[in-house]
Amino acid sequence: MGMIARSRKKSMNMVDQIRNDDPAQYEMSSTGKWAWRAGIFGPLVVLPAILILTSPFPPATAAKHWVTAAGGCTVGSWIGTAPAREDHAGYHAHLDHDKDGMACEQVRQSSRNAGSVGSRAGGAKVIRH
């Protein structure tokens, strides 16, 4: 018998064994299920709670502060935290592109021109009708 035939026969034996096994032996224990759920939901629940509780802002404002950090200036303008100066909710150094202490300045500039000139696409101004 050749090497390929032996390998094929071994594979078929493994498939038959898996088909005949009791599926209950592969179930996760209750401790394992809890650990798996904590591994998935822990970062989604515990990390934001820690960030909000250690923030210098009140909890509702701290939540907006971190949502702005993750979402950027557009999200910050939607929830009312942009534009923002240093020491205000919504200010993050990565959103302050010219490093002058004011984050999301483009939100303020585009709100002045609301109705006529919108955001930039590429390098051209977009005119709204």
Side-chain angles (χ1 to χ4, degrees), residues 42-87:
L44 299 176
V45 175
V46 175
L47 182 62
I50 290 170
L51 292 175
I52 289 169
L53 293 174
T54 59
S55 174
F57 304 111
T61 307
K64 288 182 179 182
H65 178 71
W66 291 110
V67 167
T68 303
C73 292
T74 304
V75 173
S77 68
W78 291 342
I79 62 174
T81 57
R85 295 187 189 279
E86 285 184 282
D87 299 329

Side-chain angles (χ1 to χ4, degrees), residues 5-22:
R6 278 192 304 251
S7 177
R8 184 175 294 148
K9 184 174 181 177
K10 187 175 180 181
S11 297
M12 293 306 292
N13 288 338
M14 290 173 67
V15 168
D16 287 338
Q17 180 182 358
I18 291 170
R19 285 184 186 156
N20 296 329
D21 279 347
D22 180 22

Side-chain angles (χ1 to χ4, degrees), residues 3 31 37 41 73 101 107 123 126:
M3 188 168 108
T31 306
R37 288 182 188 129
F41 296 113
C73 292
V107 172
V126 178

Side-chain angles (χ1 to χ4, degrees), residues 74 77-78 106-121 124-129:
T74 304
S77 68
W78 291 342
Q106 69 273 18
V107 172
R108 182 183 52 186
Q109 292 170 357
S110 65
S111 65
R112 278 192 224 142
N113 302 326
S116 59
V117 179
S119 59
R120 297 180 179 266
K125 291 183 179 179
V126 178
I127 308 297
R128 296 184 191 144
H129 297 287

